[in-house]
Amino acid sequence: MSDDPALLLPMPEDWRRALAVVAHPDDMEYGGSGAIARWTGEGREVAYLLATRGEAGIDGMSPEEAATVREREQIESAAVVGVETVEFLDHPDGVVEYGLPLRRDIAAAIRRHRPELVVIGNHRETWPGGGLNMADHRHVGQAALDAVRDAGNRWVFRDLLDEGLDPWQGVRWVAVAASPLSTHAVDIGDTFERAVESLHRHCAYLRGLGQTEDDARRFLREFAETSGRRFGVALATEFELIAL
């Protein structure tokens, strides 16, 4: 999604389980779900962990109603790309705080799911192209990065041991979706339509933004084509890959 002309490298493929950690319903669908669809189609296991239920995301809908609607839309959206496990942490949308409670919750999920790859949303200050990123995205992404190490240390969050959650040191990479510092990519030529459909399942959210399904399709195609040019394919999804 960057305008940097540098070529992108292929993502590693020698893994079986991934956990995607994002702040809100719709975060994975704005750029990452095409890769998720490819991975699940190859038989890999992917689970979603959301810090919030997106209750502050629709101006014309009360938070109580929005939480129910957006949870349902996210579960339906995930199913489109082959993800059956979707968990919500119930941190408050719009005011998620970086800190020990968030790190602990994410570390617990990493220990439960035991992924080799953790996918996170963009935790950088800006988006590709320079737009300012929002606090929830930055805080959840940074907490997820730190929680990867927390999950592997039995003496951090020792109460997790009492819950039967043994340390997991098996995370080999963190892949940052929608990063301005992307290094790797996934060919989504065969899964782009599923990515579009997964975003379309967030219909109440799109209506709240004043966007149509055509708007959503154009947005995804523009970035997929830009990434594809850097990766040497028609359509791609970019990631900043952090090796551990």
Side-chain angles (χ1 to χ4, degrees), residues 36 74 81 101 127 134 157 161 166 242:
I36 300 296
Q74 181 60 71
V81 294
W127 296 107
M134 70 174 293
F157 304 126
L161 298 174
D166 292 330
I242 301 172

Side-chain angles (χ1 to χ4, degrees), residues 162-223:
D162 298 331
E163 297 178 14
L165 295 174
D166 292 330
W168 172 247
Q169 300 176 350
V171 178
R172 299 166 63 192
W173 308 276
V174 176
V176 186
S179 170
L181 303 177
S182 293
T183 55
H184 290 64
V186 174
D187 184 344
I188 62 167
D190 293 336
T191 57
F192 177 75
E193 290 302 324
R194 290 173 66 190
V196 172
E197 178 59 25
S198 72
L199 180 54
H200 286 173
R201 294 302 176 98
H202 294 278
C203 51
Y205 180 67
L206 291 175
R207 284 197 303 270
L209 294 177
Q211 294 183 358
T212 67
E213 290 189 352
D214 286 343
D215 293 330
R217 176 182 291 275
R218 280 193 297 270
F219 178 88
L220 293 184
R221 178 165 285 277
E222 175 185 346
F223 284 114

Side-chain angles (χ1 to χ4, degrees), residues 17-21 28 36 40 44-50 82-87 113 115 117 119:
R17 295 185 305 277
L19 177 67
V21 182
M28 279 308 302
I36 300 296
T40 60
R44 306 177 200 273
E45 299 175 23
V46 181
Y48 282 5
L49 180 73
L50 288 89
V83 175
E84 298 179 358
T85 300
V86 182
E87 299 175 354
H113 294 286
L117 172 69
V119 181

Side-chain angles (χ1 to χ4, degrees), residues 2-242:
S2 167
D3 291 331
D4 187 335
L7 296 179
L8 297 167
L9 300 172
M11 283 282 290
E13 295 189 347
D14 56 332
W15 57 272
R16 299 302 303 169
R17 295 185 305 277
L19 177 67
V21 182
V22 294
H24 315 105
D26 79 77
D27 283 355
M28 279 308 302
E29 286 66 54
Y30 275 103
S33 59
I36 300 296
R38 174 174 170 174
W39 293 331
T40 60
E42 294 170 342
R44 306 177 200 273
E45 299 175 23
V46 181
Y48 282 5
L49 180 73
L50 288 89
T52 81
R53 296 179 190 267
E55 66 272 13
I58 302 177
D59 184 68
M61 188 179 292
S62 72
E64 294 76 18
E65 182 182 3
T68 300
V69 169
R70 300 200 68 197
E71 176 185 348
R72 182 181 66 248
E73 290 185 345
Q74 181 60 71
I75 292 170
E76 293 175 354
S77 174
V80 170
V81 294
V83 175
E84 298 179 358
T85 300
V86 182
E87 299 175 354
F88 300 86
L89 295 177
D90 285 320
H91 287 261
D93 184 17
V95 290
V96 177
E97 293 185 294
Y98 174 89
L100 296 180
L102 181 59
R103 279 172 51 187
R104 181 197 179 280
D105 286 347
I106 299 173
I110 292 171
R111 292 189 184 191
R112 283 197 307 273
H113 294 286
R114 306 174 79 78
E116 299 142 276
L117 172 69
V118 171
V119 181
I120 66 173
N122 179 24
H123 65 295
R124 303 296 183 182
E125 292 292 324
T126 62
W127 296 107
L132 182 67
N133 198 0
M134 70 174 293
D136 279 5
H137 298 148
R138 300 196 313 270
H139 294 169
V140 172
Q142 186 61 56
L145 277 171
D146 294 335
V148 168
R149 294 196 184 279
D150 298 334
N153 188 332
R154 74 174 58 252
W155 307 126
V156 175
F157 304 126
R158 282 176 272 177
D159 59 310
L160 295 180
L161 298 174
D162 298 331
E163 297 178 14
L165 295 174
D166 292 330
W168 172 247
Q169 300 176 350
V171 178
R172 299 166 63 192
W173 308 276
V174 176
V176 186
S179 170
L181 303 177
S182 293
T183 55
H184 290 64
V186 174
D187 184 344
I188 62 167
D190 293 336
T191 57
F192 177 75
E193 290 302 324
R194 290 173 66 190
V196 172
E197 178 59 25
S198 72
L199 180 54
H200 286 173
R201 294 302 176 98
H202 294 278
C203 51
Y205 180 67
L206 291 175
R207 284 197 303 270
L209 294 177
Q211 294 183 358
T212 67
E213 290 189 352
D214 286 343
D215 293 330
R217 176 182 291 275
R218 280 193 297 270
F219 178 88
L220 293 184
R221 178 165 285 277
E222 175 185 346
F223 284 114
E225 288 177 346
T226 300
S227 300
R229 286 192 291 271
R230 295 182 62 202
F231 194 46
V233 299
L235 301 170
T237 292
E238 294 184 20
F239 296 96
E240 174 188 353
L241 189 68
I242 301 172

